[in-house]
Amino acid sequence: SHYRGIVHLPIPRSIAQGPVKPLALDVVVDCSGSMSGAAAEQARCALSVLGGELSEHDDLRVFFAGSKPHAALGKPHACTAAFLRRDFGAVINAVNADRGQQHIALALAKAAESQTKPRDVLLVTNGAPSEIAQCLRRVRQSRQRIFVIGLGHAPNAEFCCALAKASAGQAAFAAPSESIAAPLHSLLARMRADPLELHAAAPAGVVASKSFSQGIFAGDVLTLYFKFSKIPNQIASVELCDGKQIFVIKSMRWKMV
């Protein structure tokens, strides 16, 4: 007979204390008619909060999604205080649900076609369920990591999560009654972070969750599985490497399943 078990291993945020990595960021804002009402107001709020998270070391482009994609800021701009106040402020004021049908894949393609280096994408939307297959094909053809902030009273979580997972990004959500600052900060922190490499795991035979095939990051919860002929007499631990040093993370007791 065999014993099967599982353990959840939180990766401390404290191990990610290196220098802040500059962002090369494309913001794609859904300005289709589906964003009318609270979602459009949230989108403007999200961009305002974003401006406070950026520095002159980051560069930014902005695209609007609708019936036709529109480059609101088509060239990379350093996020200086003057740029954020003048140019980015004007873009925020231009965000409305007035650009027709929802064609997010076209906006993602427009952002990707003019890339000269890998850039992350922040997609601000309430989700586009009819475009899942098309957007997934677009993501697989590009070097874009997609980070999605799902807005409105009922954002399409299936679309947001599928797009983020397929591109090694992340999705977060905020209802109209919730602050958008925390989920947006979490997405930006993930963009700036470098992945950790799983260097070793103990006891022998432990298998890490396949959901981390795109990388392990500080703040994640790593799931470990085991199948042994007898219950292991040591707690689970992993060694994670950031390219410079190795961190040993130890778990609580195994849970039998």
Side-chain angles (χ1 to χ4, degrees), residues 13-195:
R13 294 187 184 276
S14 59
I15 69 175
Q17 295 182 335
V20 176
K21 184 172 68 176
L23 292 180
L25 181 62
D26 290 341
V27 179
V28 175
V29 187
D30 186 352
C31 292
S32 67
S34 70
M35 290 283 286
S36 61
E41 178 60 33
Q42 277 189 289
R44 290 189 290 271
C45 180
L47 296 191
S48 296
V49 172
L50 174 64
E53 294 268 0
L54 301 175
S55 77
E56 61 186 5
H57 303 293
D58 304 313
D59 75 66
L60 179 70
R61 302 189 304 174
V62 182
F63 301 87
F64 291 165
S67 295
K68 295 182 179 179
H70 170 67
L73 290 170
K75 295 181 179 180
H77 292 265
C79 296
T80 62
F83 162 77
L84 293 172
R85 181 178 62 254
R86 182 186 63 246
D87 303 271
F88 191 48
V91 169
I92 295 173
N93 292 333
V95 171
N96 283 294
D98 59 357
R99 293 187 173 271
Q101 297 181 339
Q102 194 177 45
H103 292 303
I104 290 174
L106 294 179
L108 293 176
K110 188 171 184 65
E113 69 186 10
S114 54
Q115 283 188 357
T116 57
K117 63 179 180 179
R119 302 180 63 87
D120 287 330
V121 173
L122 176 65
L123 173 60
V124 182
T125 183
N126 61 352
S130 64
E131 282 197 275
I132 290 180
Q134 188 178 0
C135 284
L136 289 178
R137 285 195 299 271
R138 174 69 259 165
V139 165
R140 293 182 181 120
Q141 293 169 2
S142 72
R143 298 177 294 172
Q144 297 164 303
R145 288 194 306 173
I146 313 295
F147 294 80
V148 188
I149 183 78
L151 306 178
H153 291 285
N156 188 275
E158 180 185 5
F159 170 84
C160 297
C161 292
L163 200 56
K165 183 178 180 180
S167 65
Q170 195 173 41
F173 301 89
S177 59
E178 298 174 334
S179 170
I180 205 165
L184 185 58
H185 178 79
S186 175
L187 293 181
L188 293 173
R190 174 58 68 91
M191 292 182 202
R192 295 188 190 275
D194 290 318

Side-chain angles (χ1 to χ4, degrees), residues 184-251:
L184 185 58
H185 178 79
S186 175
L187 293 181
L188 293 173
R190 174 58 68 91
M191 292 182 202
R192 295 188 190 275
D194 290 318
L196 299 163
E197 179 184 351
L198 183 60
H199 191 262
V206 168
V207 178
S209 168
K210 292 182 179 179
S211 63
F212 287 88
S213 59
Q214 303 283 13
I216 302 168
F217 294 84
D220 283 342
V221 177
L222 183 61
T223 301
L224 305 177
Y225 303 94
F226 76 83
K227 178 182 176 182
F228 297 130
S229 59
K230 63 179 181 179
I231 299 177
N233 59 5
Q234 66 181 114
I235 63 174
S237 67
V238 295
E239 294 181 3
L240 301 174
C241 181
D242 66 356
K244 297 179 181 179
Q245 57 183 319
I246 292 177
F247 304 91
V248 179
I249 314 297
K250 295 184 178 180
S251 76

